[in-house]
Amino acid sequence: MGIDDFGGGQGPESTILVVTTNDVPGYRVQRVIGEVFGLTVRSRHVGSQIGAGLKSMIGGELKGLTKTLVETRNQAMDRLAEHARVRGANAVLAMRFDVTEAADVGTEVCAYGTAVVIGPE
């Protein structure tokens, strides 16, 4: 498994800048659109749960679960960017992730932030 299996974030084709900071150096916020989010819920895979249980007994990284979480976070982030784009934003500031259990059937991952229009200073 390579870095692409365990890395996240936006690809080069994205038209929406997503940052975890409250501002972007060299740019100013021209308009605040408001909160946007991207949400996904993933069910647990029985095979991965058994493998994770066995792995937890001997220690080490749960690579299958790590890869699944990266894919899930990327999907939530893609949905966040699309939500911002549809609302007329070109950036999302203060992006965060929230991860919770969803009624004992899966994991909910929400990417959220503030959609804005930014321009050069």
Side-chain angles (χ1 to χ4, degrees):
M1 293 184 167
I3 190 66
D4 290 337
D5 293 324
F6 300 107
Q10 294 180 284
E13 68 285 343
S14 180
T15 59
I16 302 292
L17 177 65
V18 178
V19 297
T20 59
T21 56
N22 293 327
D23 55 15
V24 178
Y27 291 82
R28 66 179 181 82
V29 174
Q30 297 173 334
R31 187 176 60 155
V32 175
I33 294 172
E35 181 186 4
V36 289
F37 67 91
L39 180 68
T40 185
V41 178
R42 295 285 176 106
S43 65
R44 294 187 183 105
H45 182 278
V46 174
S48 67
Q49 289 295 95
I50 293 170
L54 294 173
K55 187 73 169 187
S56 68
M57 288 184 217
I58 58 172
E61 181 181 10
L62 306 173
K63 290 184 180 182
L65 292 177
T66 299
K67 184 176 179 180
T68 299
L69 185 54
V70 167
E71 291 168 353
T72 303
R73 286 172 64 124
N74 285 341
Q75 183 177 47
M77 194 166 167
D78 289 346
R79 290 177 178 175
L80 164 82
E82 180 60 15
H83 189 196
R85 187 192 65 72
V86 166
R87 293 190 60 196
N90 65 358
V92 176
L93 303 179
M95 191 281 294
R96 302 287 187 266
F97 285 107
D98 185 46
V99 180
T100 58
E101 292 298 313
D104 290 333
V105 296
T107 302
E108 172 190 331
V109 175
C110 182
Y112 63 94
T114 303
V116 297
V117 174
I118 59 172
E121 287 184 325

